[in-house]
């Protein structure tokens, strides 16, 4: 507010709404903005497994929301989602709109692995993940009410996305209409890096979903999202600094 007052008193006729918004944000220049791409790349390069990147995604759940959700309403991210007594997804991203819920169940496989071997058949990691996804789908189709209860309770109680707001999503506070909305499950398998895929592998991956009911993704999807966010933050920081310099703030 003090920055807005300073600019307003100095040049009232030239001040726009964008100017005022920028002035109110000047303080952020003094704080170091967080950049994610380099940190993510360090985790991917430090280990060929999935344990380190799983921990990183848990700390930065917004990457999962950006990667897997197309809704614009409620977002909840539950790590190590257990259901049906013997099943576990590395993450589930639950998102909703006015009429339905979309549950994105995510299986993470090693960073150093790949989807296919040299003859074009599924790699060991992909066969294992595909078996898990098949078991998940079978359970969900045959136990929809049990899955609904497990999904909602776990997502509410163990959400790691903007968790400071978890009090808003207590399951006991949900309306009957919210609990009864249709749930559509989506399955995602994350393995390896894009650079390891041949042109044939990329083509094979493009139609894989049609036959296997799951989407194949490399860890580079997260890298692209982090890179875009970093670029936006740098542009925002530059605008703030330029404005501060121009007005002597």
């Amino acid at each position: 507010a003090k920055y807005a007052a300073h600019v307003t008193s100095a040049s009232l006729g030239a001040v726009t709404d964008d100017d005022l918004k920028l002035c109110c944000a000047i303080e952020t220049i003094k704080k170091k903005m967080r950049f994610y791409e380099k940190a993510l790349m360090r985790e991917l390069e430090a280990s060929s497994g999935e344990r380190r990147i799983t921990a990183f995604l848990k700390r930065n759940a917004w990457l999962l929301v950006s990667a897997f959700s197309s809704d614009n309403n409620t977002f909840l991210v539950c790590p190590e989602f257990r259901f049906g007594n013997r099943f576990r997804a590395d993450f589930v991203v639950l998102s909703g709109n006015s009429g339905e819920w979309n549950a994105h169940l995510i299986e993470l496989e090693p960073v150093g692995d790949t989807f296919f071997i040299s003859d074009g058949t599924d790699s060991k990691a992909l066969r294992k993940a595909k078996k898990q996804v098949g078991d998940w789908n079978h359970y969900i189709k045959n136990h929809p009410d049990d899955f609904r209860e497990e999904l909602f309770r776990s997502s509410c109680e163990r959400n790691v996305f903007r968790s400071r707001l978890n009090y808003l999503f207590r399951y006991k506070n949900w309306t009957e209409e919210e609990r009864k909305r249709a749930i559509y499950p989506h399955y995602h398998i994350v393995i390896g890096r894009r650079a390891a895929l041949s042109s044939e592998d990329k083509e094979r991956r493009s139609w894989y979903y049609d036959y296997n009911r799951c989407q194949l993704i490399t860890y580079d999807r997260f890298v692209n999202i982090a890179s875009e966010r970093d670029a936006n933050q740098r542009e925002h920081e530059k605008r703030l600094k330029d404005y501060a310099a121009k007005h002597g703030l």
Side-chain angles (χ1 to χ4, degrees), residues 28-29 31-43 56 59-60 62-63 222-223 225-238 240-241:
T28 62
I29 300 175
K31 300 177 182 178
K32 185 177 180 180
M33 288 189 172
R34 294 192 63 188
F35 294 101
Y36 296 91
E37 184 180 8
K38 286 186 177 180
L40 174 56
M41 290 298 294
R42 282 197 299 269
E43 296 300 325
F56 183 88
R59 295 193 304 271
N60 298 281
W62 67 272
L63 282 165
F222 300 123
V223 175
I225 292 169
S227 177
E228 182 178 355
R229 174 140 174 183
D230 287 358
N232 290 338
Q233 290 197 144
R234 289 189 181 96
E235 177 61 25
H236 179 63
E237 185 178 37
K238 181 179 181 299
L240 291 176
K241 287 181 177 179

Side-chain angles (χ1 to χ4, degrees), residues 127-141:
R127 292 198 305 271
K128 170 177 167 284
K130 191 167 69 171
K131 167 71 165 55
Q132 289 179 310
V133 167
D135 290 343
W136 296 351
N137 187 61
H138 183 267
Y139 173 80
I140 291 169
K141 289 182 68 173

Side-chain angles (χ1 to χ4, degrees), residues 100-120:
E100 64 188 32
W101 295 102
N102 287 290
H104 298 266
L105 285 84
I106 303 155
E107 174 64 20
L108 301 181
E109 291 296 328
V111 175
D113 222 312
T114 187
F115 298 123
F116 311 108
I117 58 177
S118 57
D119 64 359

Side-chain angles (χ1 to χ4, degrees), residues 13-244:
V15 175
T16 67
D17 288 343
D18 285 342
D19 291 331
L20 294 176
K21 290 177 183 178
L22 282 168
C23 288
C24 292
I26 290 297
E27 288 257 338
T28 62
I29 300 175
K30 301 174 184 177
K31 300 177 182 178
K32 185 177 180 180
M33 288 189 172
R34 294 192 63 188
F35 294 101
Y36 296 91
E37 184 180 8
K38 286 186 177 180
L40 174 56
M41 290 298 294
R42 282 197 299 269
E43 296 300 325
L44 291 174
E45 293 167 359
S47 173
S48 61
E50 70 270 16
R51 184 172 299 178
R52 288 187 62 142
I53 189 61
T54 299
F56 183 88
L57 292 172
K58 186 176 179 179
R59 295 193 304 271
N60 298 281
W62 67 272
L63 282 165
L64 293 161
V65 172
S66 297
F68 298 110
S69 177
S70 57
D71 292 312
N72 57 5
N73 204 327
T74 303
F75 301 109
L76 299 170
V77 177
C78 175
E80 298 183 358
F81 169 52
R82 299 181 182 276
F83 58 104
N85 294 323
R86 63 189 183 92
F87 303 118
R88 183 183 71 85
D90 288 309
F91 291 96
V92 61
V93 177
L94 179 64
S95 60
N97 53 50
S98 58
E100 64 188 32
W101 295 102
N102 287 290
H104 298 266
L105 285 84
I106 303 155
E107 174 64 20
L108 301 181
E109 291 296 328
V111 175
D113 222 312
T114 187
F115 298 123
F116 311 108
I117 58 177
S118 57
D119 64 359
T121 56
D122 295 352
S123 67
K124 181 179 179 181
L126 181 54
R127 292 198 305 271
K128 170 177 167 284
K130 191 167 69 171
K131 167 71 165 55
Q132 289 179 310
V133 167
D135 290 343
W136 296 351
N137 187 61
H138 183 267
Y139 173 80
I140 291 169
K141 289 182 68 173
N142 287 280
H143 303 86
D145 293 336
D146 291 338
F147 176 73
R148 176 186 298 273
E149 184 76 9
E150 293 163 336
L151 174 67
F152 288 161
R153 288 197 178 279
S154 292
S155 298
C156 291
E157 293 172 3
R158 303 181 56 242
N159 173 55
V160 294
F161 176 63
R162 296 177 179 170
S163 55
R164 66 185 182 281
L165 301 178
N166 278 357
Y167 69 93
L168 296 174
F169 301 107
R170 291 175 181 149
Y171 186 49
K172 66 180 181 180
N173 296 334
W174 286 25
T175 66
E176 189 68 16
E177 185 274 332
E178 288 174 324
R179 300 186 191 197
K180 294 297 183 182
R181 289 178 193 166
I183 299 175
Y184 296 96
H186 309 268
Y187 307 111
H188 310 275
I189 298 173
V190 187
I191 304 178
R193 303 297 305 278
R194 187 181 299 128
L197 299 178
S198 67
S199 57
E200 292 81 6
D201 289 341
K202 293 175 182 176
E203 182 179 0
R204 192 175 294 111
R205 182 178 66 149
S206 68
W207 48 255
Y208 198 85
Y209 179 86
D210 295 337
Y211 299 94
N212 296 279
R213 294 185 53 83
C214 60
Q215 186 180 33
L216 303 185
I217 300 162
T218 68
Y219 285 97
D220 291 272
R221 175 178 290 195
F222 300 123
V223 175
N224 292 344
I225 292 169
S227 177
E228 182 178 355
R229 174 140 174 183
D230 287 358
N232 290 338
Q233 290 197 144
R234 289 189 181 96
E235 177 61 25
H236 179 63
E237 185 178 37
K238 181 179 181 299
R239 291 178 67 200
L240 291 176
K241 287 181 177 179
D242 288 349
Y243 195 89

